[in-house]
């Protein structure tokens, strides 16, 4: 048998190594899974993780997935650093898309340069408002934010379904639950006309730089970190903890809302029941995998973005269900949490005890 | 409102409340032992998918129910290994379990979407079921509904009268002291987590084999999460879980009620009701922080590591 022994201090090496280890374990488990399903594991893993990126088009498609993931994750990161467990990026994303999309449908026949920024702003504000609900419930009623944000996700999804089946349905759409297609004036400009990649990726990279500065160079970032490390210390230092909780959720909601409206006015081009393939949930994994650091989040969102493309690829090439994406994402988070134990603990054989380190 | 409609509404309330009863009772035991398992949704979905697949393959509903429980058990073992043995963060591990369960169940069930089966049929209890109104409301259900009542009664007795109940509570309140007087904290916690898993799996089986005999992705529709809120609502008391579950059951079938009364409201708007009700309940219950603290198991969510 093995036993855990507390390290004198957390291992920085393991902190960095754990995600790598988790990825290796996920690949091993994924390979095993493929071979159980009767596919050569090497070939299948190649199809899942490498084949999508063998041409420029693949890389631009990865950018399409990375932008929303990164925006959601950068916001969640802000919350998680403060130990505010916002699981609601999915709902905030949907409300951003829905609210902004509604404004877009109202204004899209005008042909002004300020329409798109206005639509983006509307989406951002809607996402923020949805998160504000959770903040209000937490600070005024002490309601657990994990449960309230999850419930708000389901409510947002139903609101979207209601809208596309009812008031926002395209009158000329043969009764499909979809809105009318957006016009040019409410569509995100593309980076290059041959690809679907829009300027939302640039926006996400800009946000990354801002968040990095915010976290490491400002008082707010410092206060958020202190609140997460030790709430009592934060109170003692006179930080307004309520206000910080609000800030964490508002920033997070705003970014998820922006991701939502950028997705709707970008690659999707209309409202439909499936505006998010679970970006809000995948972003949670991105934050943990990215070690709650902006740069780590960049790489982690590339990997998670790749799992969406890999899922589509194995569906086409190996006729496996696309839902294998969720399976890989879940395994990744599981292995990561298991490997993270090594940050605080050493694993030793149970029989041998070292009296010097046992305290 | 005529009596037939009322009877049907109450009957449907019990049916709809049953999965919530099962999940919430499982989670209640888990939380009493000090473990917060947020992976209910994933375990329910795994139970639903596995139970359905096994039933389609073997043709036996009861093998399906057993497989559903085993699937939940297996999922909770994963959780236990990480959160109990490896002292991982319980919130994160529970989320991981849910994400994993949603993915794995969708993956396993892909080929079974749209397949039809004959669901578990109703077992009308002789004599009792012919009583007016209550006969239909209480005694004309499928066997899993009666089973949920049996489990409820057993747990009620367990926490009121037995040593086991006390042990579970002691482990959840103060694991160090419990360990000091010779209770096996890890064992009790594993047992509680596994029980919770089996119950969530059973609830999944109920959904895909009795409630709506079919499989579709994400068919539990957040019931695992609602059950978590139910435990808070019930202040960790067994009898209140039952009451709460049926109240939520009633909220979930409001569309039937309103249709019966001749109103027409968008089904999507009405589907929001149970989630809104959950939030309102959380607001009311959590508002009184002192009372909430008194009811919550003291060591809830805190990993325990035996001192060597």
């Amino acid at each position: 048998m093995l036993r855990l022994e507390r390290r004198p201090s957390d291992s920085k090496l393991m902190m960095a190594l754990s995600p790598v280890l988790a990825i290796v374990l996920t690949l091993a488990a994924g390979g095993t899974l493929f071979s159980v399903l009767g596919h050569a594991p090497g070939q299948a893993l190649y199809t899942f993780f490498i084949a999508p990126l063998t041409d420029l088009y693949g890389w631009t498609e990865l950018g399409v997935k990375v932008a929303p993931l990164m925006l959601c994750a950068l916001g969640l990161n802000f919350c998680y650093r403060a130990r505010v467990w916002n699981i609601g990026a999915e709902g905030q994303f949907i409300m951003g898309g829905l609210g902004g999309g509604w404004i877009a449908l109202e204004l899209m026949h005008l042909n002004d340069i300020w329409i798109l920024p206005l639509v983006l702003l509307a989406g951002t504000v809607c996402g923020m408002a949805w998160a504000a609900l959770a903040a209000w419930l937490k600070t005024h009623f002490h309601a657990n934010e994990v449960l309230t944000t999850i419930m708000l996700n389901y409510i947002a999804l139903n609101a979207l379904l209601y809208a596309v089946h009812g008031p926002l349905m395209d009158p000329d759409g043969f009764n499909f639950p979809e809105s009318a297609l957006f016009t040019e004036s409410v569509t995100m400009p593309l980076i290059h006309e041959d690809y679907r990649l829009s300027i939302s990726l640039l926006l996400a990279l800009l946000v990354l730089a801002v968040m990095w500065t915010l976290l490491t160079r400002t008082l707010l970032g410092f206060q958020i970190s202190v609140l997460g490390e030790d709430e009592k210390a934060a109170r003692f230092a006179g930080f307004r903890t309520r206000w910080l909780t609000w800030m964490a959720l508002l920033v997070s909601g705003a970014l998820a809302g922006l991701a939502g409206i950028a997705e709707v006015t970008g690659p999707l081009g209309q409202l439909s029941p499936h505006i998010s393939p679970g970006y809000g949930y995948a972003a949670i994994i991105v934050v943990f995998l990215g070690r709650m650091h902006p740069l780590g989040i960049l790489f982690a969102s590339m990997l998670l973005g790749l799992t969406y493309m890999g899922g589509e690829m194995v569906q086409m090439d190996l006729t496996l269900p696309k839902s294998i994406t969720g399976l890989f994402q879940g395994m990744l988070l599981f292995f990561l949490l298991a490997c993270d134990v090594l940050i605080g603990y050493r694993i030793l054989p149970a029989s041998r005890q070292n009296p010097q380190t046992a305290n | 409102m005529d009596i037939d409609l009322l009877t049907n509404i109450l009957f449907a309330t019990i049916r709809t409340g049953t999965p919530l009863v099962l999940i919430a009772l499982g989670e209640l035991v888990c939380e009493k032992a000090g473990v917060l398992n947020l992976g209910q949704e994933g375990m329910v979905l795994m139970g639903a998918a596995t139970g359905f697949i096994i039933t389609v393959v073997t043709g036996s509903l009861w093998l399906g129910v057993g497989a559903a429980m085993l699937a939940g058990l297996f999922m909770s073992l994963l959780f236990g290994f990480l959160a109990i043995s490896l002292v991982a963060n319980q919130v994160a591990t529970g989320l991981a379990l849910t994400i994993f369960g949603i993915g794995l169940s969708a993956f396993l069930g892909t080929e079974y979407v749209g397949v039809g089966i004959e669901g578990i049929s109703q077992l009308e209890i002789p004599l009792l079921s012919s009583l007016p109104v209550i006969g239909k409301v209480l005694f004309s259900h499928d066997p899993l509904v009666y089973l949920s009542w049996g489990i409820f009664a057993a747990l009620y007795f367990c926490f009121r009268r037995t040593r086991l109940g006390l042990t579970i509570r002691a482990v959840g309140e103060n694991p160090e002291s419990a360990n000091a007087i010779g209770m096996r904290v890890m064992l009790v916690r594993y047992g509680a987590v596994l029980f919770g898993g089996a119950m969530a799996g059973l609830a999944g089986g109920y959904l895909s084999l009795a409630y709506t005999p079919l499989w579709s992705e994400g068919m539990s529709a957040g019931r695992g999460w609602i059950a978590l809120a139910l435990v808070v609502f019930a202040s960790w008391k067994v009898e209140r879980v039952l009451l709460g579950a049926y109240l939520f059951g009633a909220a979930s079938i409001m569309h039937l009620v309103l249709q019966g009364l001749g109103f027409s409201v968008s089904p999507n708007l009405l589907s929001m009701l149970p989630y809104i009700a959950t939030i309102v309940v959380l607001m009311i219950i959590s508002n009184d922080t002192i009372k909430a603290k008194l009811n919550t198991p003291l060591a809830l969510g805190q990993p325990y590591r035996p001192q060597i």
Side-chain angles (χ1 to χ4, degrees):
Chain A
M1 283 297 281
L2 300 169
R3 68 189 170 89
L4 296 176
E5 183 191 86
R6 191 95 179 88
R7 290 180 197 270
S9 65
D10 284 357
S11 159
K12 286 232 166 62
L13 177 70
M14 271 306 162
M15 184 80 181
L17 217 56
S18 166
V20 181
L21 210 58
I23 292 169
V24 172
L25 286 171
T26 306
L27 289 179
T32 314
L33 175 77
F34 281 128
S35 65
V36 168
L37 295 169
H39 297 279
Q43 182 64 37
L45 285 176
Y46 176 85
T47 311
F48 195 97
F49 286 102
I50 313 279
L53 296 179
T54 42
D55 53 9
L56 185 60
Y57 177 77
W59 283 93
T60 61
E61 280 297 296
L62 183 64
V64 171
K65 310 258 190 294
V66 163
L69 278 172
M70 208 158 75
L71 282 170
C72 289
L74 286 167
L76 289 181
N77 183 37
F78 206 54
C79 277
Y80 294 175
R81 280 197 168 221
R83 296 258 164 115
V84 175
W85 299 110
N86 173 14
I87 316 296
E90 183 78 3
Q92 292 143 18
F93 180 100
I94 290 175
M95 287 318 266
L98 176 58
W102 179 42
I103 301 293
L105 288 167
E106 294 293 323
L107 299 181
M108 67 184 194
H109 302 296
L110 304 173
N111 210 355
D112 259 313
I113 190 89
W114 51 267
I115 303 250
L116 182 65
L118 189 71
V119 164
L120 292 180
L121 184 68
T124 309
V125 169
C126 283
M128 196 150 90
W130 208 240
L133 269 176
W136 178 65
L137 289 166
K138 183 173 168 66
T139 55
H140 279 73
F141 299 94
H142 314 283
N144 180 322
E145 72 273 19
V146 174
L147 294 174
T148 54
T149 50
I150 283 271
M151 292 301 130
L152 288 168
N153 288 350
Y154 284 103
I155 296 172
L157 182 62
N158 276 301
L160 173 68
L161 290 175
Y162 166 71
V164 295
H165 281 99
L168 299 187
M169 187 159 72
D170 183 6
D172 309 319
F174 305 103
N175 234 5
F176 277 107
E178 290 168 351
S179 76
L181 284 168
F182 293 149
T183 59
E184 186 110 6
S185 58
V186 288
T187 301
M188 290 288 268
L190 298 176
I191 288 177
H192 185 283
E193 60 188 28
D194 290 346
Y195 305 104
R196 295 202 305 157
L197 185 60
S198 76
I199 58 165
S200 69
L201 182 67
L202 304 180
L203 217 56
L205 289 170
L206 181 71
V207 169
L208 181 129
V210 171
M211 289 303 281
W212 198 341
T213 317
L214 193 68
L215 284 171
T216 54
R217 296 273 178 275
T218 67
L219 181 63
L220 178 64
F222 174 70
Q223 290 183 330
I224 287 275
S225 299
V226 174
L227 178 63
E229 298 276 332
D230 190 341
E231 200 193 331
K232 280 199 187 119
R235 272 182 214 284
F236 189 70
F239 300 167
R240 289 174 294 165
T241 51
R242 265 184 175 220
W243 184 76
L244 288 174
T245 304
W246 272 89
M247 279 309 287
L249 276 160
L250 289 183
V251 169
S252 173
L255 292 180
L258 177 61
I261 186 59
E263 184 75 6
V264 168
T265 55
L268 298 180
Q270 67 182 147
L271 285 174
S272 74
H274 309 288
I275 62 174
S276 167
Y279 285 144
Y281 295 115
I284 300 171
I285 308 175
V286 169
V287 177
F288 284 118
L289 194 67
R291 308 280 81 174
M292 300 203 190
H293 188 283
L295 203 60
I297 285 174
L298 172 65
F299 289 113
S301 37
M302 289 171 73
L303 182 67
L304 268 287
L306 188 55
T307 60
Y308 285 106
M309 299 174 71
E312 284 162 21
M313 207 66 170
V314 295
Q315 185 183 31
M316 278 189 295
D317 281 12
L318 310 175
T319 62
L320 287 171
K322 204 165 94 179
S323 48
I324 204 162
T325 295
L327 194 52
F328 268 92
Q329 292 178 353
M331 285 198 295
L332 194 57
L333 184 53
F334 251 132
F335 284 126
L336 182 73
L337 290 171
C339 294
D340 275 355
V341 171
L342 296 173
I343 296 171
Y345 295 89
R346 261 190 282 263
I347 294 182
L348 299 170
S351 52
R352 276 180 44 212
Q353 283 192 21
N354 187 345
Q356 258 132 33
T357 54
N359 53 26
Chain B
M1 194 190 294
D2 67 278
I3 198 79
D4 273 353
L5 180 63
L6 185 69
T7 312
N8 281 328
I9 288 170
L10 290 175
F11 175 77
T13 298
I14 297 220
R15 267 173 71 78
T16 316
T18 297
L20 292 175
V21 172
L22 293 170
I23 310 167
L25 285 177
E27 175 66 14
L28 178 120
V29 171
C30 204
E31 291 190 14
K32 283 258 192 198
V35 186
L36 179 68
N37 184 353
L38 295 184
Q40 301 295 328
E41 184 76 0
M43 299 195 293
V44 173
L45 281 169
M46 275 303 288
T50 316
F52 189 80
I53 293 167
I54 294 297
T55 296
V56 171
V57 172
T58 64
S60 160
L61 284 163
W62 295 107
L63 274 181
V65 171
M69 291 180 77
L70 277 179
L73 209 64
F74 165 75
M75 292 289 280
S76 62
L77 193 63
L78 273 180
F79 176 85
F81 177 67
L82 264 110
I84 302 177
S85 295
L86 294 185
V87 292
N89 178 324
Q90 292 180 10
V91 173
T93 311
L95 279 175
L97 194 70
T98 289
I99 293 176
F100 181 67
I102 293 173
L104 184 58
S105 63
F107 178 71
L108 293 173
T110 309
E111 286 175 25
Y112 296 87
V113 176
V115 178
I117 56 163
E118 189 83 20
I120 295 173
S121 54
Q122 273 142 24
L123 177 73
E124 297 192 348
I125 294 178
L127 296 177
L128 288 175
S129 63
S130 52
L131 290 170
V133 187
I134 5 175
K136 165 88 172 161
V137 173
L138 293 181
F139 301 110
S140 308
H141 287 284
D142 54 78
L144 292 182
V145 174
Y146 306 131
L147 179 63
S148 76
W149 294 342
I151 295 169
F152 163 75
L155 284 179
Y156 185 81
F157 180 74
C158 174
F159 283 115
R160 292 252 155 171
R161 291 263 181 274
T162 69
R163 198 187 176 88
L164 177 66
L166 273 178
T167 308
I168 294 174
R169 279 168 57 190
V171 165
E173 294 288 343
N174 193 334
E176 284 78 19
S177 308
N179 182 53
I181 57 169
M183 291 173 177
R184 304 187 60 185
V185 176
M186 302 296 250
L187 192 72
V188 171
R189 286 198 162 180
Y190 257 106
V193 166
L194 290 179
F195 176 77
M199 293 290 278
L202 181 62
Y206 177 80
L207 285 175
S208 68
L209 298 174
Y211 188 67
T212 45
L214 55 84
W215 161 252
S216 67
E217 251 179 64
M219 69 182 293
S220 57
R223 284 182 178 87
W225 293 107
I226 291 178
L228 278 157
L230 252 174
V231 177
V232 180
F233 165 75
S235 329
W236 292 266
K237 290 189 175 68
V238 181
E239 62 279 12
R240 286 207 210 162
V241 164
L242 199 70
L243 177 74
Y246 293 137
L247 282 177
F248 274 89
S252 325
I253 54 155
M254 273 318 265
H255 59 284
L256 291 180
V257 180
L258 289 177
Q259 267 166 16
L261 296 173
F263 291 98
S264 96
V265 189
S266 152
N268 297 120
L269 289 183
L270 286 171
S271 316
M272 293 179 188
L273 275 176
Y275 311 117
I276 295 174
T278 307
I279 291 180
V280 171
V281 158
L282 283 171
M283 279 164 72
I284 297 166
I285 293 291
S286 317
N287 201 13
D288 189 345
T289 34
I290 296 168
K291 204 173 161 203
K293 261 199 192 119
L294 277 177
N295 285 323
T296 316
L298 243 134
L300 182 60
Q302 289 164 14
Y304 171 76
R305 207 170 59 89
Q307 302 296 315
I308 303 158

